[in-house]
Amino acid sequence: MTPIDDDSVVEPTQPGRKRDPSRDASILEATLEVLAEVGAASLTMDLVAARAGAGKATIYRRWTSKTQLVIDAVAHMKRNQVDLEHLPDTGTLRGDLLGLFKPQSMEESERRLKIMTGLASLLSQDRELADAANGAVVKPWADAHFALMQRAVLRGEISASADIQTLSQIVPSMAAYRSLVQRKPMELAFLLSMIDGVVLPALGIHRFDVPSVTPTRRGAGGAKRRPKP
Amino acid sequence: MTPIDDDSVVEPTQPGRKRDPSRDASILEATLEVLAEVGAASLTMDLVAARAGAGKATIYRRWTSKTQLVIDAVAHMKRNQVDLEHLPDTGTLRGDLLGLFKPQSMEESERRLKIMTGLASLLSQDRELADAANGAVVKPWADAHFALMQRAVLRGEISASADIQTLSQIVPSMAAYRSLVQRKPMELAFLLSMIDGVVLPALGIHRFDVPSVTPTRRGAGGAKRRPKP
DNA sequence: CAGTTTCGAAACTTGACAGTTTCGAAACTC
DNA sequence: GAGTTTCGAAACTGTCAAGTTTCGAAACTG
């Protein structure tokens, strides 16, 4: 949060109309929408104002600059996050990792990644913004993976010597890179090749059932079937 | 390459001063320098012209727009690339992967990643540019990893059933993400945690010597020393 | 009610920069 | 040498959008 630091402290009641808190939410929400649609480069304050049904003066009364607004908007989306409380619990790590991706969670991730992609143009300008994006999109996702892996360790499913810290970042980071540079959307095939081709093997899990997923030999992009000839 | 398509074909000799081919190189080189220093967002044609010791007219005689110039510059840096011909050959995959990073290759990668980071602002605008960046920075690196892994398969060091296609992309992509979003430079510690914590374990290699690398217990962000207890 | 602040809307100011054009000098063809 | 194209430098044009100001109406305080 970095709104214009108003009179929040010691204040003997001020005259005049009060600020409408609903405007804050509208503006932040509009910012995220525009961000996802046209990207930060083409995001103009007029566009945001129009979308929020607000005047530019109202925006500049709360944020000092476009960059600050965007940073705040990105941080704002950290809410509605993956609940570290109720993570999937299917009994196997593979099931858990895939379970993270079932319901609306899929399109929510897609949305976040889209916003991050649009953010690209500002990432190189502000370290602060880059941190916010990382913290809002990749970090919580990695945290979830970390928690799931930790549980798998306790359960005895995987070795305690595995480098869980590093491995938990693979899927989120690769997904972000993929979205950012390669411009490909979230796809199950990608997830599967990451989980089955990288994460699980690295954790020492080489045999796993593939229940109810694409009966036609998954095309993870090169996983050979036959071992040494 | 997308210079203004001049009279290259059927041409009966033209009058007038000839184009100085050395200007092309100067301009492209200057573009890359500026790109690495201030990023594409703050890259102006005047800046490039000044750096190259050229006039803007000279630039616009060869490229139609800033974007085209940048795309060409990025493609231009594909030269001086990792030679797929003479890759390191140390006898072990780990040695080979690390060997890719010894000499000036380290700072060259650093430079490329810096350029890519600066490029971020345009990545979201042009798919073409994003492809060029991916092709110039990440792709060749991944190709090298792929070749090294393939050799390890033939040598019998790793199983042929491993998803080499996916695994060869891990290090380059993660390095790019790291540089792009987290703004951290290339570091040996990062490489080690990727190779020892992810890639090699995923290939089924769990025990490896750590010869002549940081006698003081490497702090690779979590790679534990002892394998399964 | 008098005074103050907020609101949305719209007009305005300003700086930055992509792309053009102009200029005088050099380099080339015939 | 006449005509043409290139060169670097610098002046010029045009657009776009960030940020500011103004306005009339609403909302609040005392």
Side-chain angles (χ1 to χ4, degrees), chain A residues 16-17 19-20 23 53 55 58 61-62:
Chain A
R17 179 174 175 171
R19 285 206 184 167
D20 181 352
R23 298 342 278 125
T58 304
R61 203 173 285 118
R62 288 146 209 259

Side-chain angles (χ1 to χ4, degrees), chain A residues 3-225:
Chain A
I4 294 178
D5 197 26
D6 59 88
D7 25 85
S8 32
V9 215
V10 205
E11 203 55 37
T13 1
Q14 249 175 323
R17 179 174 175 171
K18 300 225 170 76
R19 285 206 184 167
D20 181 352
S22 79
R23 298 342 278 125
D24 294 64
S26 299
I27 294 168
L28 290 175
E29 202 46 56
T31 304
L32 289 178
E33 283 177 26
V34 175
L35 218 43
E37 284 169 27
V38 304
S42 310
L43 176 149
T44 69
M45 296 305 254
D46 297 85
L47 221 48
V48 172
R51 177 69 63 102
K56 284 207 288 177
T58 304
I59 298 180
Y60 279 104
R61 203 173 285 118
R62 288 146 209 259
W63 290 276
T64 55
S65 71
K66 167 176 160 175
T67 304
Q68 283 304 316
L69 169 63
V70 171
I71 291 175
D72 236 36
V74 172
H76 178 257
M77 95 178 144
K78 241 195 302 216
R79 330 207 181 305
N80 323 9
Q81 197 61 30
V82 205
D83 298 310
L84 279 183
E85 308 312 319
H86 16 83
L87 289 171
D89 192 356
T90 64
T92 68
L93 179 55
R94 184 169 192 271
D96 287 353
L97 292 177
L98 289 178
L100 214 51
F101 256 78
K102 273 300 149 54
Q104 80 305 351
S105 164
M106 193 78 163
E107 36 187 313
E108 178 58 17
S109 289
E110 179 65 19
R111 174 182 140 91
R112 281 174 168 15
L113 286 177
K114 218 164 190 171
I115 290 176
M116 187 164 192
T117 304
L119 228 46
S121 53
L122 292 184
L123 285 187
S124 44
Q125 317 283 306
D126 276 83
R127 155 160 245 106
E128 192 182 352
L129 182 55
D131 290 343
N134 191 52
V137 181
V138 170
K139 184 81 178 347
W141 193 352
D143 286 348
H145 274 211
F146 186 81
L148 292 177
M149 289 178 186
Q150 216 161 21
R151 240 173 34 190
V153 170
L154 293 179
R155 191 195 300 140
E157 187 179 356
I158 60 180
S159 157
S161 67
D163 187 351
I164 288 184
Q165 181 62 46
T166 301
L167 281 167
S168 63
Q169 304 194 305
I170 296 291
V171 173
S173 302
M174 291 293 290
Y177 177 78
R178 199 177 125 96
S179 171
L180 222 49
V181 179
Q182 307 190 121
R183 310 305 253 315
K184 297 180 189 163
M186 260 324 262
E187 280 167 347
L188 186 55
F190 163 74
L191 255 202
L192 286 172
S193 74
M194 281 299 139
I195 293 178
D196 294 344
V198 181
V199 176
L200 295 183
L203 289 168
I205 304 178
H206 295 94
R207 326 194 120 277
F208 34 76
D209 305 330
V210 184
S212 75
V213 174
T214 319
T216 65
R217 177 190 286 267
R218 59 176 213 283
K224 307 300 189 310
R225 201 41 80 123

